[in-house]
Amino acid sequence: MNNNGTHPTATVRIQRFNPETDAKPHMQEFEVELKPGTTVLDALHEIKTHQDGSLTFRRSCRHAICGSCAMHVNGKNELVCNAPLKERLDRHGRITIRPLPYLPILKDLVVDRSSFWEQYLRVKPWLTPPEDTPEKEFRMSPEEVAALNNAETCIMCGACYSSCQIVGLTKEYIGPHALLKAFLRVMDPRDSIPGERLADLDDTDGVYRCRTIFNCIDACPKNLNPTLAIETLRKLAQKREAFEQARIERQKHLDEPIPAR
Ligand code: F3S
């Protein structure tokens, strides 16, 4: 707090666009008080509540779980709900917020995620269990569970998808988010269609479209590694039949206890 009892302020630069009145996006500046613990999302709420009710953005849980509030902050995609405002200010006390790149802007900071969800559905993101499911439970080894760790905490925020320059070039590319989900299903011993999945991904819009640009890793707020998942899928696609056969064998024993080591 300042000596006069007021809080210092931060300058929040926001890209605005109203399709009904604007020919193209423009920047607008707002001043907000920099109170302890203020997040970037808090600053947006402050502006919307007290300065300009027309400011439009998505948010929901405020706990980095729902994936709604991914935005482009100072040139990097991130979730604004757990981004401390103070840490995002430059030496002039400014922060710049834009919508996620490479996606059509609906209004202000809200983008059209249709292609994101279309590609997600394309990889059949649901688990397809074997016809003969165990009477009680599937038994997976610690190694099998650990193999899924790189993918199962994905919150589908779109930060990786809209950081990928290949997505910027073509919306035909499946994208890192959906390939990470495909990896999760392919690696899961309970899934019975890994061969079909690998065959679907084994084309120019799938694992071979990735150019290992790594932006997706930098953007992921959950520290996941879509690039490694894509690389793994590429290798598995090359030995698809053997992998599928191994899965069939594995599923014959899914209800048996895992031997202690
Ligand atoms: Fe894109 Fe990530 Fe590959 S940024 S090109 S999906 S490594």
Side-chain angles (χ1 to χ4, degrees), residues 164 166 173 176 210-216 227 230:
C164 175
I166 305 300
Y173 176 40
C210 169
R211 293 289 181 269
T212 51
I213 293 170
F214 298 125
N215 284 0
C216 52
T227 316
I230 295 167

Side-chain angles (χ1 to χ4, degrees), residues 127-145:
L127 185 77
T128 303
E131 275 178 22
D132 296 329
T133 51
E135 237 175 67
K136 283 190 178 168
E137 60 193 347
F138 291 101
R139 308 235 187 175
M140 292 166 62
S141 71
E143 292 78 15
E144 288 170 334
V145 174

